[in-house]
Amino acid sequence: MASTRIQIDQRSTSEQIANGLRDMILRGDLSPGEPIRESSLASDLGVSRNTVREAVRILERTGLISYEMNRGASVRNPSRAEVEDLFKARLAIEIGATQIGSMAEVQAPLRQAFDKLDDALSRGAIDEALQADLDFHTTIVAMGKCSRLDSAYRRILNEFQLHLAILSKTEGEYAKPDQIRAEHLDVLDAFESGDVNDAVAALAVHTDLSQRACLAALDRSAKAPSTAPDRLDG
Amino acid sequence: MASTRIQIDQRSTSEQIANGLRDMILRGDLSPGEPIRESSLASDLGVSRNTVREAVRILERTGLISYEMNRGASVRNPSRAEVEDLFKARLAIEIGATQIGSMAEVQAPLRQAFDKLDDALSRGAIDEALQADLDFHTTIVAMGKCSRLDSAYRRILNEFQLHLAILSKTEGEYAKPDQIRAEHLDVLDAFESGDVNDAVAALAVHTDLSQRACLAALDRSAKAPSTAPDRLDG
DNA sequence: GTAGCAGAACTGTAGAACAGTTGGACTGTA
DNA sequence: TACAGTCCAACTGTTCTACAGTTCTGCTAC
């Protein structure tokens, strides 16, 4: 049956638009706070307004946009408090997965994920490293072998990537490569030790450090707005 | 400012319909697998088909319905495997919240939640007890003080309630009152001991037990379909 | 500079229309 | 009886048009 692997694009127009919008937001093509105008988007894409509305409703799931009655959708403009909330949620889910999953089974894939990250970092491939970083954490969550936990985490990561997209516009990079490598190695070591409590502790430390780095970058970028003028607090 | 607490219903028609549908599903008015027909629903409610479509997209977030291209939405018909997945996700999130939250702060509200459950159980108020049971667990997650974790959990609980709605149609009750009281008391005790590891262990035990009970009820109801004929596996 | 107002720009919703898909009934054939 | 083919009704996916209600913006008068 492997020969009949025909892939048909069974996604509706609205779903494709939702995906496209998500990519645009994560790439930073749409800046935070920017409104998503139904009519203009519809005519730009050559689709009807209803279809765009549906796409927006689909996109709402991702947490990348916010919706206000009679005011429509706009790209989320996340505050400092929300970044903290995101990190908390990430940590909690990672810990939860660690506790319900099997330490023995995660070690090999986690080592693999680290190697990819290490490789990308040493080659200076920022985007690739960033993706590898996210994959590393996704691997940890995957050890829970729970699809609902996976998707809850994915949703949060999505939102997190929105912040990264904003930061990378002003910062250029998310942190120092050496530091990233060292932090992830600590986590890997803890998991390879096989002790759940060590792993949990390592995750907490790593999350705390990267949260600090992220918040510091956020503060810097708030002080020195580069490309887009900030209209954070009206 | 407390005097001007005027609540205006700023929800759009589609959101209200989505809420109404959610309630209907959770009440069991719509049985699992039942399709949600756009046109008939639209004319029943006196709204346009577009509005219903939007409501369905909104409802999709909750995980209560499933959507298939060209086939529309239907009430989720959860399998045994999905129940297991749900319990896993619940446990992982509860554990995560326990680990990142403060044990000291949760003790009072958790005791309060238990008392409510205890009260409802002793009065034989099934629905109330069920709600108190869910509240008990929500209280644990709330100790993480993380809104994204809260909403991830709420989403999962929503889906879980769908199962309960199905079971309560065939079973009448979700488990034995004494057992429920004892299980929750064990959890409460562990939290009141102040030891995180004890709390985590107690959560694991409780989840395991209620999962067994739930799956057993599921098996019974599969064998003896009461009201609605089951069309689980074609 | 601020309150008030008019008009533009949008959103929320309705309703009709039509192509494309699905599923079921019916039919003919082996 | 089993099965392939055809046809049709029921739906979904999407578009277009229309219009009321809301929000925003810029102007005007005080």
Side-chain angles (χ1 to χ4, degrees), chain B residues 87-123:
Chain B
F87 272 102
K88 252 193 201 168
R90 283 188 57 183
L91 177 60
I93 291 181
E94 288 175 14
I95 289 178
T98 304
Q99 295 261 17
I100 68 169
S102 145
M103 292 291 276
E105 282 178 37
V106 80
Q107 288 167 352
L110 200 58
R111 161 65 68 177
Q112 219 175 332
F114 174 79
D115 288 344
K116 268 196 185 160
L117 173 63
D118 188 34
D119 178 53
L121 285 172
S122 57
R123 280 186 292 112

PDB file of all heavy atoms in Angstrom, chain B residues 87-123:
ATOM      1  N   PHE B  87      -6.871  11.179  30.394  1.00  0.00           N
ATOM      2  CA  PHE B  87      -6.422  11.001  31.774  1.00  0.00           C
ATOM      3  C   PHE B  87      -4.932  11.295  31.906  1.00  0.00           C
ATOM      4  O   PHE B  87      -4.493  11.916  32.873  1.00  0.00           O
ATOM      5  CB  PHE B  87      -6.738   9.586  32.263  1.00  0.00           C
ATOM      6  CG  PHE B  87      -8.103   9.450  32.856  1.00  0.00           C
ATOM      7  CD1 PHE B  87      -9.138   8.891  32.138  1.00  0.00           C
ATOM      8  CD2 PHE B  87      -8.351   9.914  34.137  1.00  0.00           C
ATOM      9  CE1 PHE B  87     -10.410   8.782  32.681  1.00  0.00           C
ATOM     10  CE2 PHE B  87      -9.616   9.795  34.702  1.00  0.00           C
ATOM     11  CZ  PHE B  87     -10.656   9.223  33.959  1.00  0.00           C
ATOM     12  N   LYS B  88      -4.176  10.861  30.924  1.00  0.00           N
ATOM     13  CA  LYS B  88      -2.745  11.144  30.939  1.00  0.00           C
ATOM     14  C   LYS B  88      -2.488  12.651  30.940  1.00  0.00           C
ATOM     15  O   LYS B  88      -1.704  13.160  31.732  1.00  0.00           O
ATOM     16  CB  LYS B  88      -2.105  10.545  29.679  1.00  0.00           C
ATOM     17  CG  LYS B  88      -1.240   9.332  29.928  1.00  0.00           C
ATOM     18  CD  LYS B  88      -0.438   9.056  28.666  1.00  0.00           C
ATOM     19  CE  LYS B  88       0.049   7.633  28.604  1.00  0.00           C
ATOM     20  NZ  LYS B  88       0.574   7.292  27.273  1.00  0.00           N
ATOM     21  N   ALA B  89      -3.170  13.336  30.039  1.00  0.00           N
ATOM     22  CA  ALA B  89      -2.972  14.772  29.930  1.00  0.00           C
ATOM     23  C   ALA B  89      -3.369  15.470  31.224  1.00  0.00           C
ATOM     24  O   ALA B  89      -2.663  16.363  31.709  1.00  0.00           O
ATOM     25  CB  ALA B  89      -3.784  15.328  28.756  1.00  0.00           C
ATOM     26  N   ARG B  90      -4.496  15.033  31.790  1.00  0.00           N
ATOM     27  CA  ARG B  90      -4.936  15.623  33.051  1.00  0.00           C
ATOM     28  C   ARG B  90      -3.866  15.453  34.117  1.00  0.00           C
ATOM     29  O   ARG B  90      -3.476  16.407  34.800  1.00  0.00           O
ATOM     30  CB  ARG B  90      -6.230  14.945  33.529  1.00  0.00           C
ATOM     31  CG  ARG B  90      -7.468  15.391  32.807  1.00  0.00           C
ATOM     32  CD  ARG B  90      -8.695  14.804  33.490  1.00  0.00           C
ATOM     33  NE  ARG B  90      -8.766  15.163  34.898  1.00  0.00           N
ATOM     34  CZ  ARG B  90      -9.703  14.733  35.725  1.00  0.00           C
ATOM     35  NH1 ARG B  90     -10.653  13.911  35.290  1.00  0.00           N
ATOM     36  NH2 ARG B  90      -9.712  15.105  36.974  1.00  0.00           N
ATOM     37  N   LEU B  91      -3.386  14.229  34.245  1.00  0.00           N
ATOM     38  CA  LEU B  91      -2.386  13.956  35.275  1.00  0.00           C
ATOM     39  C   LEU B  91      -1.125  14.793  35.062  1.00  0.00           C
ATOM     40  O   LEU B  91      -0.600  15.401  36.000  1.00  0.00           O
ATOM     41  CB  LEU B  91      -2.034  12.462  35.274  1.00  0.00           C
ATOM     42  CG  LEU B  91      -0.942  12.056  36.255  1.00  0.00           C
ATOM     43  CD1 LEU B  91      -1.348  12.376  37.685  1.00  0.00           C
ATOM     44  CD2 LEU B  91      -0.607  10.563  36.116  1.00  0.00           C
ATOM     45  N   ALA B  92      -0.662  14.829  33.825  1.00  0.00           N
ATOM     46  CA  ALA B  92       0.572  15.569  33.535  1.00  0.00           C
ATOM     47  C   ALA B  92       0.432  17.030  33.933  1.00  0.00           C
ATOM     48  O   ALA B  92       1.330  17.602  34.563  1.00  0.00           O
ATOM     49  CB  ALA B  92       0.917  15.444  32.061  1.00  0.00           C
ATOM     50  N   ILE B  93      -0.689  17.622  33.582  1.00  0.00           N
ATOM     51  CA  ILE B  93      -0.873  19.038  33.892  1.00  0.00           C
ATOM     52  C   ILE B  93      -1.013  19.251  35.391  1.00  0.00           C
ATOM     53  O   ILE B  93      -0.448  20.193  35.959  1.00  0.00           O
ATOM     54  CB  ILE B  93      -2.078  19.608  33.120  1.00  0.00           C
ATOM     55  CG1 ILE B  93      -1.748  19.654  31.627  1.00  0.00           C
ATOM     56  CG2 ILE B  93      -2.450  20.999  33.629  1.00  0.00           C
ATOM     57  CD1 ILE B  93      -2.834  20.209  30.756  1.00  0.00           C
ATOM     58  N   GLU B  94      -1.731  18.367  36.050  1.00  0.00           N
ATOM     59  CA  GLU B  94      -1.876  18.508  37.503  1.00  0.00           C
ATOM     60  C   GLU B  94      -0.505  18.387  38.191  1.00  0.00           C
ATOM     61  O   GLU B  94      -0.180  19.162  39.094  1.00  0.00           O
ATOM     62  CB  GLU B  94      -2.839  17.443  38.044  1.00  0.00           C
ATOM     63  CG  GLU B  94      -4.293  17.718  37.662  1.00  0.00           C
ATOM     64  CD  GLU B  94      -5.241  16.603  38.103  1.00  0.00           C
ATOM     65  OE1 GLU B  94      -4.836  15.763  38.924  1.00  0.00           O
ATOM     66  OE2 GLU B  94      -6.387  16.576  37.615  1.00  0.00           O
ATOM     67  N   ILE B  95       0.271  17.427  37.734  1.00  0.00           N
ATOM     68  CA  ILE B  95       1.604  17.273  38.314  1.00  0.00           C
ATOM     69  C   ILE B  95       2.467  18.504  38.048  1.00  0.00           C
ATOM     70  O   ILE B  95       3.140  19.026  38.940  1.00  0.00           O
ATOM     71  CB  ILE B  95       2.303  16.017  37.744  1.00  0.00           C
ATOM     72  CG1 ILE B  95       1.649  14.749  38.299  1.00  0.00           C
ATOM     73  CG2 ILE B  95       3.794  16.025  38.076  1.00  0.00           C
ATOM     74  CD1 ILE B  95       2.239  13.470  37.747  1.00  0.00           C
ATOM     75  N   GLY B  96       2.410  18.976  36.813  1.00  0.00           N
ATOM     76  CA  GLY B  96       3.192  20.158  36.450  1.00  0.00           C
ATOM     77  C   GLY B  96       2.840  21.343  37.328  1.00  0.00           C
ATOM     78  O   GLY B  96       3.718  22.042  37.837  1.00  0.00           O
ATOM     79  N   ALA B  97       1.538  21.554  37.515  1.00  0.00           N
ATOM     80  CA  ALA B  97       1.097  22.672  38.349  1.00  0.00           C
ATOM     81  C   ALA B  97       1.573  22.484  39.779  1.00  0.00           C
ATOM     82  O   ALA B  97       2.007  23.433  40.443  1.00  0.00           O
ATOM     83  CB  ALA B  97      -0.419  22.800  38.296  1.00  0.00           C
ATOM     84  N   THR B  98       1.499  21.249  40.267  1.00  0.00           N
ATOM     85  CA  THR B  98       1.927  20.966  41.633  1.00  0.00           C
ATOM     86  C   THR B  98       3.408  21.302  41.811  1.00  0.00           C
ATOM     87  O   THR B  98       3.815  21.856  42.836  1.00  0.00           O
ATOM     88  CB  THR B  98       1.708  19.471  41.957  1.00  0.00           C
ATOM     89  OG1 THR B  98       0.339  19.153  41.740  1.00  0.00           O
ATOM     90  CG2 THR B  98       2.092  19.161  43.391  1.00  0.00           C
ATOM     91  N   GLN B  99       4.186  20.989  40.799  1.00  0.00           N
ATOM     92  CA  GLN B  99       5.633  21.200  40.906  1.00  0.00           C
ATOM     93  C   GLN B  99       6.017  22.663  40.818  1.00  0.00           C
ATOM     94  O   GLN B  99       7.010  23.081  41.413  1.00  0.00           O
ATOM     95  CB  GLN B  99       6.346  20.414  39.807  1.00  0.00           C
ATOM     96  CG  GLN B  99       6.194  18.911  39.948  1.00  0.00           C
ATOM     97  CD  GLN B  99       7.404  18.252  40.594  1.00  0.00           C
ATOM     98  OE1 GLN B  99       8.237  18.905  41.213  1.00  0.00           O
ATOM     99  NE2 GLN B  99       7.480  16.944  40.438  1.00  0.00           N
ATOM    100  N   ILE B 100       5.286  23.433  40.020  1.00  0.00           N
ATOM    101  CA  ILE B 100       5.690  24.843  39.898  1.00  0.00           C
ATOM    102  C   ILE B 100       4.975  25.732  40.908  1.00  0.00           C
ATOM    103  O   ILE B 100       5.340  26.887  41.079  1.00  0.00           O
ATOM    104  CB  ILE B 100       5.468  25.406  38.478  1.00  0.00           C
ATOM    105  CG1 ILE B 100       3.971  25.510  38.148  1.00  0.00           C
ATOM    106  CG2 ILE B 100       6.183  24.573  37.423  1.00  0.00           C
ATOM    107  CD1 ILE B 100       3.708  26.308  36.885  1.00  0.00           C
ATOM    108  N   GLY B 101       3.935  25.196  41.560  1.00  0.00           N
ATOM    109  CA  GLY B 101       3.163  26.026  42.469  1.00  0.00           C
ATOM    110  C   GLY B 101       3.636  25.920  43.911  1.00  0.00           C
ATOM    111  O   GLY B 101       4.587  25.212  44.217  1.00  0.00           O
ATOM    112  N   SER B 102       2.948  26.642  44.756  1.00  0.00           N
ATOM    113  CA  SER B 102       3.308  26.626  46.171  1.00  0.00           C
ATOM    114  C   SER B 102       2.361  25.710  46.937  1.00  0.00           C
ATOM    115  O   SER B 102       1.147  25.930  46.965  1.00  0.00           O
ATOM    116  CB  SER B 102       3.241  28.047  46.736  1.00  0.00           C
ATOM    117  OG  SER B 102       2.791  28.024  48.077  1.00  0.00           O
ATOM    118  N   MET B 103       2.939  24.691  47.569  1.00  0.00           N
ATOM    119  CA  MET B 103       2.137  23.746  48.338  1.00  0.00           C
ATOM    120  C   MET B 103       1.379  24.458  49.454  1.00  0.00           C
ATOM    121  O   MET B 103       0.215  24.143  49.740  1.00  0.00           O
ATOM    122  CB  MET B 103       3.029  22.661  48.944  1.00  0.00           C
ATOM    123  CG  MET B 103       3.634  21.726  47.943  1.00  0.00           C
ATOM    124  SD  MET B 103       2.403  20.661  47.192  1.00  0.00           S
ATOM    125  CE  MET B 103       2.311  19.373  48.420  1.00  0.00           C
ATOM    126  N   ALA B 104       2.051  25.399  50.096  1.00  0.00           N
ATOM    127  CA  ALA B 104       1.453  26.069  51.250  1.00  0.00           C
ATOM    128  C   ALA B 104       0.171  26.799  50.855  1.00  0.00           C
ATOM    129  O   ALA B 104      -0.827  26.771  51.584  1.00  0.00           O
ATOM    130  CB  ALA B 104       2.448  27.044  51.860  1.00  0.00           C
ATOM    131  N   GLU B 105       0.213  27.423  49.689  1.00  0.00           N
ATOM    132  CA  GLU B 105      -0.922  28.256  49.302  1.00  0.00           C
ATOM    133  C   GLU B 105      -2.138  27.464  48.848  1.00  0.00           C
ATOM    134  O   GLU B 105      -3.255  27.955  48.882  1.00  0.00           O
ATOM    135  CB  GLU B 105      -0.505  29.218  48.187  1.00  0.00           C
ATOM    136  CG  GLU B 105       0.294  30.404  48.707  1.00  0.00           C
ATOM    137  CD  GLU B 105       0.737  31.319  47.579  1.00  0.00           C
ATOM    138  OE1 GLU B 105      -0.032  31.508  46.620  1.00  0.00           O
ATOM    139  OE2 GLU B 105       1.879  31.820  47.646  1.00  0.00           O
ATOM    140  N   VAL B 106      -1.900  26.249  48.387  1.00  0.00           N
ATOM    141  CA  VAL B 106      -3.017  25.486  47.831  1.00  0.00           C
ATOM    142  C   VAL B 106      -3.814  24.760  48.910  1.00  0.00           C
ATOM    143  O   VAL B 106      -4.968  24.376  48.689  1.00  0.00           O
ATOM    144  CB  VAL B 106      -2.520  24.487  46.766  1.00  0.00           C
ATOM    145  CG1 VAL B 106      -1.947  23.246  47.417  1.00  0.00           C
ATOM    146  CG2 VAL B 106      -3.641  24.099  45.812  1.00  0.00           C
ATOM    147  N   GLN B 107      -3.213  24.603  50.063  1.00  0.00           N
ATOM    148  CA  GLN B 107      -3.845  23.749  51.068  1.00  0.00           C
ATOM    149  C   GLN B 107      -5.236  24.217  51.492  1.00  0.00           C
ATOM    150  O   GLN B 107      -6.178  23.414  51.527  1.00  0.00           O
ATOM    151  CB  GLN B 107      -2.911  23.612  52.275  1.00  0.00           C
ATOM    152  CG  GLN B 107      -1.707  22.737  51.945  1.00  0.00           C
ATOM    153  CD  GLN B 107      -0.597  22.806  52.972  1.00  0.00           C
ATOM    154  OE1 GLN B 107      -0.647  23.621  53.887  1.00  0.00           O
ATOM    155  NE2 GLN B 107       0.413  21.962  52.800  1.00  0.00           N
ATOM    156  N   ALA B 108      -5.356  25.509  51.782  1.00  0.00           N
ATOM    157  CA  ALA B 108      -6.654  26.017  52.218  1.00  0.00           C
ATOM    158  C   ALA B 108      -7.722  25.860  51.136  1.00  0.00           C
ATOM    159  O   ALA B 108      -8.786  25.262  51.392  1.00  0.00           O
ATOM    160  CB  ALA B 108      -6.536  27.471  52.657  1.00  0.00           C
ATOM    161  N   PRO B 109      -7.493  26.369  49.922  1.00  0.00           N
ATOM    162  CA  PRO B 109      -8.524  26.203  48.891  1.00  0.00           C
ATOM    163  C   PRO B 109      -8.819  24.740  48.557  1.00  0.00           C
ATOM    164  O   PRO B 109      -9.961  24.396  48.232  1.00  0.00           O
ATOM    165  CB  PRO B 109      -7.950  26.932  47.670  1.00  0.00           C
ATOM    166  CG  PRO B 109      -6.529  27.193  47.974  1.00  0.00           C
ATOM    167  CD  PRO B 109      -6.400  27.215  49.447  1.00  0.00           C
ATOM    168  N   LEU B 110      -7.812  23.894  48.680  1.00  0.00           N
ATOM    169  CA  LEU B 110      -8.032  22.486  48.356  1.00  0.00           C
ATOM    170  C   LEU B 110      -8.918  21.826  49.415  1.00  0.00           C
ATOM    171  O   LEU B 110      -9.803  21.031  49.097  1.00  0.00           O
ATOM    172  CB  LEU B 110      -6.688  21.755  48.246  1.00  0.00           C
ATOM    173  CG  LEU B 110      -6.721  20.443  47.467  1.00  0.00           C
ATOM    174  CD1 LEU B 110      -7.222  20.674  46.052  1.00  0.00           C
ATOM    175  CD2 LEU B 110      -5.335  19.810  47.427  1.00  0.00           C
ATOM    176  N   ARG B 111      -8.676  22.196  50.664  1.00  0.00           N
ATOM    177  CA  ARG B 111      -9.512  21.696  51.759  1.00  0.00           C
ATOM    178  C   ARG B 111     -10.960  22.131  51.526  1.00  0.00           C
ATOM    179  O   ARG B 111     -11.897  21.353  51.663  1.00  0.00           O
ATOM    180  CB  ARG B 111      -8.962  22.220  53.087  1.00  0.00           C
ATOM    181  CG  ARG B 111      -9.897  22.194  54.260  1.00  0.00           C
ATOM    182  CD  ARG B 111     -10.279  20.792  54.669  1.00  0.00           C
ATOM    183  NE  ARG B 111      -9.163  20.031  55.245  1.00  0.00           N
ATOM    184  CZ  ARG B 111      -9.292  18.805  55.728  1.00  0.00           C
ATOM    185  NH1 ARG B 111     -10.485  18.199  55.696  1.00  0.00           N
ATOM    186  NH2 ARG B 111      -8.252  18.166  56.223  1.00  0.00           N
ATOM    187  N   GLN B 112     -11.098  23.384  51.135  1.00  0.00           N
ATOM    188  CA  GLN B 112     -12.425  23.937  50.865  1.00  0.00           C
ATOM    189  C   GLN B 112     -13.115  23.166  49.735  1.00  0.00           C
ATOM    190  O   GLN B 112     -14.292  22.817  49.830  1.00  0.00           O
ATOM    191  CB  GLN B 112     -12.247  25.405  50.435  1.00  0.00           C
ATOM    192  CG  GLN B 112     -13.297  26.352  50.968  1.00  0.00           C
ATOM    193  CD  GLN B 112     -12.961  27.780  50.589  1.00  0.00           C
ATOM    194  OE1 GLN B 112     -11.779  28.130  50.406  1.00  0.00           O
ATOM    195  NE2 GLN B 112     -13.967  28.617  50.449  1.00  0.00           N
ATOM    196  N   ALA B 113     -12.354  22.894  48.677  1.00  0.00           N
ATOM    197  CA  ALA B 113     -12.907  22.164  47.535  1.00  0.00           C
ATOM    198  C   ALA B 113     -13.322  20.761  47.959  1.00  0.00           C
ATOM    199  O   ALA B 113     -14.368  20.254  47.540  1.00  0.00           O
ATOM    200  CB  ALA B 113     -11.882  22.101  46.407  1.00  0.00           C
ATOM    201  N   PHE B 114     -12.506  20.157  48.811  1.00  0.00           N
ATOM    202  CA  PHE B 114     -12.841  18.813  49.286  1.00  0.00           C
ATOM    203  C   PHE B 114     -14.126  18.832  50.111  1.00  0.00           C
ATOM    204  O   PHE B 114     -14.980  17.955  49.964  1.00  0.00           O
ATOM    205  CB  PHE B 114     -11.694  18.226  50.114  1.00  0.00           C
ATOM    206  CG  PHE B 114     -12.062  16.909  50.729  1.00  0.00           C
ATOM    207  CD1 PHE B 114     -12.038  15.742  49.972  1.00  0.00           C
ATOM    208  CD2 PHE B 114     -12.466  16.828  52.052  1.00  0.00           C
ATOM    209  CE1 PHE B 114     -12.404  14.525  50.527  1.00  0.00           C
ATOM    210  CE2 PHE B 114     -12.831  15.618  52.618  1.00  0.00           C
ATOM    211  CZ  PHE B 114     -12.793  14.460  51.849  1.00  0.00           C
ATOM    212  N   ASP B 115     -14.228  19.836  50.979  1.00  0.00           N
ATOM    213  CA  ASP B 115     -15.423  19.923  51.825  1.00  0.00           C
ATOM    214  C   ASP B 115     -16.691  20.011  50.982  1.00  0.00           C
ATOM    215  O   ASP B 115     -17.698  19.383  51.283  1.00  0.00           O
ATOM    216  CB  ASP B 115     -15.316  21.136  52.754  1.00  0.00           C
ATOM    217  CG  ASP B 115     -14.286  20.903  53.863  1.00  0.00           C
ATOM    218  OD1 ASP B 115     -13.914  19.724  54.074  1.00  0.00           O
ATOM    219  OD2 ASP B 115     -13.858  21.883  54.497  1.00  0.00           O
ATOM    220  N   LYS B 116     -16.606  20.793  49.928  1.00  0.00           N
ATOM    221  CA  LYS B 116     -17.769  20.916  49.036  1.00  0.00           C
ATOM    222  C   LYS B 116     -18.110  19.572  48.409  1.00  0.00           C
ATOM    223  O   LYS B 116     -19.272  19.187  48.308  1.00  0.00           O
ATOM    224  CB  LYS B 116     -17.469  21.940  47.933  1.00  0.00           C
ATOM    225  CG  LYS B 116     -17.904  23.345  48.292  1.00  0.00           C
ATOM    226  CD  LYS B 116     -17.959  24.232  47.055  1.00  0.00           C
ATOM    227  CE  LYS B 116     -18.268  25.672  47.451  1.00  0.00           C
ATOM    228  NZ  LYS B 116     -17.876  26.640  46.415  1.00  0.00           N
ATOM    229  N   LEU B 117     -17.080  18.887  47.974  1.00  0.00           N
ATOM    230  CA  LEU B 117     -17.279  17.572  47.363  1.00  0.00           C
ATOM    231  C   LEU B 117     -17.897  16.615  48.375  1.00  0.00           C
ATOM    232  O   LEU B 117     -18.875  15.911  48.087  1.00  0.00           O
ATOM    233  CB  LEU B 117     -15.934  17.037  46.866  1.00  0.00           C
ATOM    234  CG  LEU B 117     -15.915  15.589  46.350  1.00  0.00           C
ATOM    235  CD1 LEU B 117     -16.816  15.444  45.134  1.00  0.00           C
ATOM    236  CD2 LEU B 117     -14.494  15.169  45.996  1.00  0.00           C
ATOM    237  N   ASP B 118     -17.325  16.641  49.562  1.00  0.00           N
ATOM    238  CA  ASP B 118     -17.788  15.777  50.638  1.00  0.00           C
ATOM    239  C   ASP B 118     -19.258  16.036  50.932  1.00  0.00           C
ATOM    240  O   ASP B 118     -20.076  15.111  51.026  1.00  0.00           O
ATOM    241  CB  ASP B 118     -16.929  16.048  51.879  1.00  0.00           C
ATOM    242  CG  ASP B 118     -17.219  15.044  52.979  1.00  0.00           C
ATOM    243  OD1 ASP B 118     -17.514  13.882  52.645  1.00  0.00           O
ATOM    244  OD2 ASP B 118     -17.163  15.432  54.159  1.00  0.00           O
ATOM    245  N   ASP B 119     -19.578  17.309  51.012  1.00  0.00           N
ATOM    246  CA  ASP B 119     -20.947  17.705  51.305  1.00  0.00           C
ATOM    247  C   ASP B 119     -21.900  17.197  50.222  1.00  0.00           C
ATOM    248  O   ASP B 119     -22.935  16.589  50.520  1.00  0.00           O
ATOM    249  CB  ASP B 119     -21.012  19.243  51.394  1.00  0.00           C
ATOM    250  CG  ASP B 119     -22.422  19.734  51.653  1.00  0.00           C
ATOM    251  OD1 ASP B 119     -23.034  19.251  52.628  1.00  0.00           O
ATOM    252  OD2 ASP B 119     -22.902  20.580  50.884  1.00  0.00           O
ATOM    253  N   ALA B 120     -21.534  17.444  48.980  1.00  0.00           N
ATOM    254  CA  ALA B 120     -22.393  17.028  47.861  1.00  0.00           C
ATOM    255  C   ALA B 120     -22.564  15.516  47.845  1.00  0.00           C
ATOM    256  O   ALA B 120     -23.664  15.002  47.610  1.00  0.00           O
ATOM    257  CB  ALA B 120     -21.807  17.521  46.543  1.00  0.00           C
ATOM    258  N   LEU B 121     -21.482  14.801  48.116  1.00  0.00           N
ATOM    259  CA  LEU B 121     -21.544  13.341  48.106  1.00  0.00           C
ATOM    260  C   LEU B 121     -22.483  12.827  49.197  1.00  0.00           C
ATOM    261  O   LEU B 121     -23.298  11.929  48.963  1.00  0.00           O
ATOM    262  CB  LEU B 121     -20.145  12.746  48.308  1.00  0.00           C
ATOM    263  CG  LEU B 121     -19.199  12.801  47.108  1.00  0.00           C
ATOM    264  CD1 LEU B 121     -17.797  12.356  47.502  1.00  0.00           C
ATOM    265  CD2 LEU B 121     -19.717  11.953  45.958  1.00  0.00           C
ATOM    266  N   SER B 122     -22.350  13.440  50.387  1.00  0.00           N
ATOM    267  CA  SER B 122     -23.170  12.931  51.491  1.00  0.00           C
ATOM    268  C   SER B 122     -24.641  13.263  51.275  1.00  0.00           C
ATOM    269  O   SER B 122     -25.518  12.578  51.795  1.00  0.00           O
ATOM    270  CB  SER B 122     -22.676  13.515  52.821  1.00  0.00           C
ATOM    271  OG  SER B 122     -22.701  14.922  52.765  1.00  0.00           O
ATOM    272  N   ARG B 123     -24.895  14.325  50.501  1.00  0.00           N
ATOM    273  CA  ARG B 123     -26.288  14.664  50.203  1.00  0.00           C
ATOM    274  C   ARG B 123     -26.800  13.882  48.994  1.00  0.00           C
ATOM    275  O   ARG B 123     -27.965  13.987  48.622  1.00  0.00           O
ATOM    276  CB  ARG B 123     -26.426  16.164  49.943  1.00  0.00           C
ATOM    277  CG  ARG B 123     -26.471  16.978  51.236  1.00  0.00           C
ATOM    278  CD  ARG B 123     -26.766  18.445  50.966  1.00  0.00           C
ATOM    279  NE  ARG B 123     -25.678  19.109  50.277  1.00  0.00           N
ATOM    280  CZ  ARG B 123     -25.750  19.542  49.029  1.00  0.00           C
ATOM    281  NH1 ARG B 123     -26.842  19.369  48.321  1.00  0.00           N
ATOM    282  NH2 ARG B 123     -24.707  20.132  48.467  1.00  0.00           N
TER     283      ARG B 123
END
